[in-house]
């Protein structure tokens, strides 16, 4: 089984060699594998979607939707091993698609993990993480960072992962939320520009690094940059590029501040960081949308909600809310009612349980 993931803080920092604070969650994909005796024919069935992909290991072709994630993983596995042969696999999922919970990484990592065991490929967890990321780069076309795949494989129950995306050093942080819970509110929205805009944001950050390096050659990525560096280039860096860079710099700082709030049980402080992150994602990184802004703003007007932000790549998906545990049921009911009245559609509440990463079913 392979879990989805949340990200407490550190959105869009992973592909900038930054810091992230994700966790695997209880929603997951469950896979059943079997060899079929063929040298190269594969049958992959999504019981959740009621669809089947027939794949030929010798002729993997780009398709669309979930099929591309499958074919991308198979291609990356073939690059690394000559042991892959024909197989059948069924999988089902209770990870909401398009909610920003990284169902794609669960699909990639769960498939790679299972085939690694089935065919005794001998790949390490880090190799599975990297090949799943490369599948998305090389076959799907999304230049994602490594956070989603890392959280899916390396998650630990009741812990966040402090991950340094520059060198993949990491440590586990107890998810001590005191009398608070994490509540997701799915907007049911996934705008078509999400993937292209994601790649655009990555390119804008790279442009910012190139401009910074002209004056500060020691800067390798936005991980090395500060607000002072940006201010020194006020007259030579376009305002849009500056805003993108400023968000990433401030978000890295928020991840470190969140460690302090967790250590000291300061849930008000943690909530404030979530809300600051949303403002940065909305105003500087510009990846929010009216529906999720409404969910965030409305939640913050309710007693018992300490902080909220958009989570995931953006332009839809869900909000992540830090809520006093005794208020969760009331808050989700009130949010659903307000969202229905304003947008004529249903919000999708989901209370988070922090789980282990990809594993063999017991």
């Amino acid at each position: 089984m392979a879990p989805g993931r949340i990200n407490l803080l550190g959105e869009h920092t992973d592909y900038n060699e930054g810091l992230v604070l994700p966790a695997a969650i209880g929603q997951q994909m469950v896979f059943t594998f079997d060899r079929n005796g063929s040298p190269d024919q594969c049958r992959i069935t999504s019981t959740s979607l009621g669809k089947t992909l027939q794949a030929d290991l010798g002729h993997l072709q780009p398709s669309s939707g979930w099929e591309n994630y499958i074919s991308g993983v198979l291609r990356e596995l073939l690059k690394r091993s000559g042991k892959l042969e024909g197989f059948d696999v069924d999988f089902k999922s209770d990870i909401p698609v398009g909610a920003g919970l990284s169902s794609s990484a669960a699909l990639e990592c769960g498939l790679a993990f299972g085939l690694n065991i089935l065919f005794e490929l001998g790949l390490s967890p880090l190799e599975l993480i990297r090949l799943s990321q490369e599948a998305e780069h090389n076959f799907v076309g999304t230049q994602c960072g490594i956070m989603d795949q890392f959280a899916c494989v390396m998650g630990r129950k009741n812990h966040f992962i402090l991950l340094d995306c520059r060198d993949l050093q990491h440590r586990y942080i107890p998810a001590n939320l005191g009398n608070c819970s994490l509540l997701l509110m799915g907007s049911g929205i996934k705008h078509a520009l999400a993937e292209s805009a994601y790649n655009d944001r990555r390119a804008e950050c790279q442009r910012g690094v190139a401009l910074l390096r002209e004056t500060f050659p020691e800067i390798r990525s936005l991980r090395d940059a500060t607000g002072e560096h940006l201010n020194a280039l006020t007259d030579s860096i376009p305002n849009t590029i500056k805003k993108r860079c400023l968000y990433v710099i401030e978000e890295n700082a928020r991840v470190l501040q969140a460690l302090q709030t967790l250590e000291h049980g300061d849930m008000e402080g943690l909530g404030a960081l979530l809300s600051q992150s949303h403002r940065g994602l909305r105003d500087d990184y510009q990846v929010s949308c009216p529906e999720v802004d409404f969910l965030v703003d409305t939640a913050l007007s309710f007693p018992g909600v300490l902080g909220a932000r958009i989570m995931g790549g953006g332009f839809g998906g869900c909000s992540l809310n830090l809520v006093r545990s005794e208020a969760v049921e009331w808050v989700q009911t009130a949010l659903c009612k307000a969202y229905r009245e304003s947008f004529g559609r249903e919000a999708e509440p989901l209370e988070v349980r922090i789980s282990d990463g990809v594993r063999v079913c017991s």
Side-chain angles (χ1 to χ4, degrees):
M1 61 181 67
R5 68 97 190 95
I6 60 164
N7 185 28
L8 189 64
L9 282 161
E11 213 69 79
H12 291 275
T13 55
D14 57 347
Y15 55 80
N16 288 294
E17 296 189 346
L19 302 171
V20 294
L21 201 57
I25 58 173
Q27 286 66 37
Q28 58 200 9
M29 288 187 184
V30 178
F31 297 77
T32 303
F33 293 86
D34 196 13
R35 296 174 184 248
N36 63 21
S38 165
D40 52 20
Q41 297 301 306
C42 310
R43 186 172 184 271
I44 302 98
T45 299
S46 168
T47 54
S48 302
L49 298 175
K51 295 182 179 181
T52 296
L53 169 66
Q54 301 282 351
D56 183 336
L57 293 176
H59 300 87
L60 295 170
Q61 299 295 327
S63 180
S64 61
W66 65 274
E67 294 96 336
N68 265 345
Y69 297 96
I70 296 286
S71 298
V73 168
L74 295 180
R75 176 175 285 183
E76 296 301 325
L77 284 170
L78 287 168
K79 288 180 183 179
R80 292 161 171 83
S81 173
K83 299 180 181 179
L84 201 61
E85 299 175 4
F87 64 90
D88 297 333
V89 61
D90 294 345
F91 69 94
K92 59 183 179 180
S93 175
D94 64 356
I95 305 171
V97 176
L101 302 182
S102 205
S103 57
S104 58
L107 179 56
E108 294 157 358
C109 296
L111 180 66
F113 181 87
L115 293 176
N116 188 45
I117 294 174
L118 183 66
F119 292 105
E120 300 178 346
L121 304 180
L123 299 173
S124 69
L126 183 56
E127 287 175 302
L128 296 176
I129 290 166
R130 288 198 182 281
L131 78 84
S132 296
Q133 180 195 28
E134 289 168 15
E136 202 151 336
H137 286 188
N138 299 331
F139 216 91
V140 179
T142 302
Q143 299 302 305
C144 64
I146 204 166
M147 175 185 70
D148 294 351
Q149 293 82 5
F150 198 97
C152 180
V153 173
M154 301 297 289
R156 179 180 292 178
K157 187 176 181 179
N158 297 328
H159 287 77
F160 297 108
I161 308 170
L162 174 62
L163 172 64
D164 184 333
C165 295
R166 167 167 282 174
D167 56 16
L168 300 190
Q169 290 189 36
H170 63 282
R171 61 187 175 98
Y172 292 96
I173 309 298
N176 295 329
L177 300 177
N179 65 346
C180 292
S181 300
L182 293 172
L183 172 66
L184 299 174
M185 294 297 298
S187 67
I189 298 293
K190 189 64 175 179
H191 291 295
L193 53 73
E195 287 191 4
S196 61
Y198 184 100
N199 290 340
D200 290 344
R201 293 300 181 276
R202 183 165 186 155
E204 289 166 342
C205 290
Q206 292 171 340
R207 175 60 177 156
V209 170
L211 291 170
L212 285 163
R213 282 180 59 84
E214 292 176 3
T215 303
F216 305 103
E218 69 276 13
I219 292 177
R220 292 170 44 196
S221 71
L222 289 179
R223 172 67 177 280
D224 303 314
T226 66
E228 288 74 17
H229 289 134
L230 281 178
N231 290 334
L233 271 63
T234 297
D235 296 330
S236 58
I237 187 168
N239 187 54
T240 295
I241 301 298
K242 182 178 180 180
K243 288 168 67 176
R244 306 294 190 252
C245 294
L246 180 63
Y247 163 75
V248 173
I249 291 167
E250 292 180 341
E251 186 76 348
N252 277 322
R254 281 189 284 267
V255 171
L256 294 176
Q257 292 165 19
L259 299 182
Q260 299 299 314
T261 65
L262 287 168
E263 180 181 352
H264 295 101
D266 178 11
M267 294 301 100
E268 289 83 1
L270 181 60
L273 293 171
L274 294 179
S275 299
Q276 290 168 22
S277 179
H278 182 75
R279 290 193 291 272
L281 288 161
R282 181 192 64 199
D283 300 335
D284 291 335
Y285 221 66
Q286 294 181 300
V287 293
S288 192
C289 65
E291 296 88 351
V292 180
D293 286 343
F294 176 87
L295 287 171
V296 168
D297 293 341
T298 304
L300 291 174
S301 72
F302 292 157
V305 177
L306 304 186
R309 72 173 186 88
I310 188 171
M311 191 188 71
F315 306 101
C318 68
S319 65
L320 175 67
N321 305 269
L322 183 65
V323 185
R324 299 287 186 195
S325 296
E326 69 273 12
V328 167
E329 184 175 352
W330 177 85
V331 166
Q332 71 178 36
T333 299
L335 273 176
C336 286
K337 180 176 184 292
Y339 191 67
R340 186 185 311 114
E341 290 174 349
S342 294
F343 291 94
R345 61 185 307 135
E346 297 298 322
E348 300 162 6
L350 187 67
E351 193 168 352
V352 171
R353 294 178 291 106
I354 296 179
S355 137
D356 288 319
V358 63
R359 58 203 182 275
V360 176
C361 299
S362 56

